[in-house]
Amino acid sequence: MAILSDYQEDDQQSPPFSFNAALDPSNPLGFLESAFNFVSRKSSLFKSESAEKQITSLVRSIRERIKAAEEEASAKKAPEKEQDKEKEKKLVPNKGNGIDMENYSWGQSLQEVTVNVEIPPGTKSSLVLCDIKNNYLKVGVKGQAPIIDGELYKPVKADDCFWSLEDQKLISILMSKRDRTDWWKSLLKGGQEIDTQKVEPEPSKLSDLDSEMRSAVEKMMFDQRQKKLGRPSSDEIQKEELLKQFMAQNPNMNFSGSKFM
């Protein structure tokens, strides 16, 4: 019995000890010093020659974990920052839904693009350079560097485009869009862009469109407003209505989590 009793006593593990201390964020080393003192009194960790290496390795591991977490958080924020930068680059449209540049301005409706280019007063029409192609525009005065020269943001119908000289100091250009259901972000590709979400079409112009075109425009305007408000688009609303109708016609079916995509 004595032998068994001694064996049981030796086999028993030392009871755990409690450590109570408050961490002062302004003095974290003080907290660690208290923790190390406690460990030194209650264990033989610091008697080992490898203790310093073990603690250094632990600190390095924690630092690497913190760095990895920071890099992951930074990577998640990067796309948001890029989106913010893109928004900052875009300008609020002028009254003509375009941009006023240093020596020319442009505006648009869903059907047409207008460009007004300032030239030296007294310029004759024979000296005007205005080359309009389906995907290209070059404007200026002969013998001088072009004021506008580049690929259009989207194609136009070159045969339906016109220019005129106003008071011998302004070239006025009217170009017919090939796609009449979309707003241009810029006059030329790679040029300064506008925020098309802030375009304000003239309601009176809608009456000039045929019924099919008017419906497409109204749908687009509705979807733009819904997007600004974070609400479903017209297509999403229609799909939800179809789902509700189908559920009403089939009350015995389980539609948990059902959604039209």
Side-chain angles (χ1 to χ4, degrees):
M1 293 295 292
I3 296 176
L4 180 59
S5 176
D6 291 341
Y7 175 80
Q8 288 177 336
E9 184 177 353
D10 292 340
D11 190 56
Q12 290 178 352
Q13 296 181 353
S14 300
F17 296 99
S18 299
F19 172 68
N20 295 318
L23 172 62
D24 180 0
S26 64
N27 184 27
L29 291 179
F31 176 84
L32 288 178
E33 184 178 3
S34 299
F36 285 174
N37 288 334
F38 176 80
V39 173
S40 67
R41 294 195 304 270
K42 301 299 182 181
S43 75
S44 60
L45 173 64
F46 291 102
K47 295 180 181 180
S48 171
E49 294 182 358
S50 63
E52 184 176 353
K53 292 183 179 179
Q54 292 175 350
I55 294 174
T56 301
S57 176
L58 177 61
V59 172
R60 186 183 301 112
S61 175
I62 293 174
R63 289 183 60 186
E64 290 176 352
R65 185 166 67 247
I66 293 173
K67 183 179 179 181
E70 290 177 346
E71 290 177 349
E72 182 179 358
S74 178
K76 290 180 178 179
K77 291 182 178 179
E80 297 178 0
K81 291 182 178 179
E82 289 299 323
Q83 291 177 2
D84 292 339
K85 288 181 180 179
E86 289 299 320
K87 289 181 179 179
E88 291 176 359
K89 291 179 182 178
K90 295 179 180 179
L91 299 177
V92 176
N94 59 19
K95 293 182 179 180
N97 293 321
I99 297 178
D100 295 324
M101 307 296 288
E102 183 178 356
N103 48 10
Y104 75 91
S105 64
W106 70 276
Q108 63 179 318
S109 65
L110 281 170
Q111 298 81 36
E112 301 167 335
V113 174
T114 57
V115 185
N116 292 314
V117 184
E118 297 178 5
I119 56 176
T123 300
K124 296 181 180 180
S125 60
S126 58
L127 295 177
V128 172
L129 171 63
C130 188
D131 185 13
I132 307 173
K133 293 183 171 61
N134 290 338
N135 297 285
Y136 175 79
L137 176 64
K138 185 175 183 179
V139 186
V141 177
K142 294 178 181 178
Q144 300 180 17
I147 298 174
I148 299 175
D149 186 7
E151 185 178 358
L152 291 168
Y153 180 73
K154 285 194 174 183
V156 297
K157 299 178 182 178
D159 294 338
D160 296 337
C161 298
F162 307 92
W163 69 269
S164 62
L165 179 61
E166 307 290 341
D167 299 327
Q168 293 187 322
K169 63 179 181 180
L170 185 73
I171 302 174
S172 180
I173 304 168
L174 179 64
M175 297 185 293
S176 179
K177 290 182 178 180
R178 189 172 294 278
D179 181 359
R180 299 189 171 191
T181 63
D182 197 11
W183 297 104
W184 287 18
K185 294 182 179 180
S186 62
L187 178 63
L188 304 177
K189 287 187 175 180
Q192 179 66 63
E193 295 185 356
I194 63 170
D195 185 352
T196 54
Q197 296 296 323
K198 296 183 179 180
V199 166
E200 296 182 0
E202 299 179 29
S204 59
K205 296 294 183 180
L206 293 176
S207 60
D208 299 333
L209 304 176
D210 57 51
S211 58
E212 183 178 355
M213 180 65 69
R214 184 166 60 251
S215 297
V217 173
E218 290 174 344
K219 178 178 180 296
M220 181 179 65
M221 293 171 63
F222 173 81
D223 288 341
Q224 286 182 344
R225 288 194 299 270
Q226 292 291 97
K227 185 177 181 180
K228 286 182 181 179
L229 298 172
R231 297 174 180 175
S233 65
S234 55
D235 290 337
E236 292 171 338
I237 293 174
Q238 184 178 15
K239 290 176 181 178
E240 289 294 336
E241 289 299 323
L242 289 173
L243 178 58
K244 289 179 181 179
Q245 292 178 13
F246 187 76
M247 292 172 62
Q249 295 171 1
N250 299 271
N252 296 325
M253 294 181 65
N254 184 9
F255 294 96
S256 300
S258 299
K259 185 178 181 181
F260 276 111
M261 301 299 292

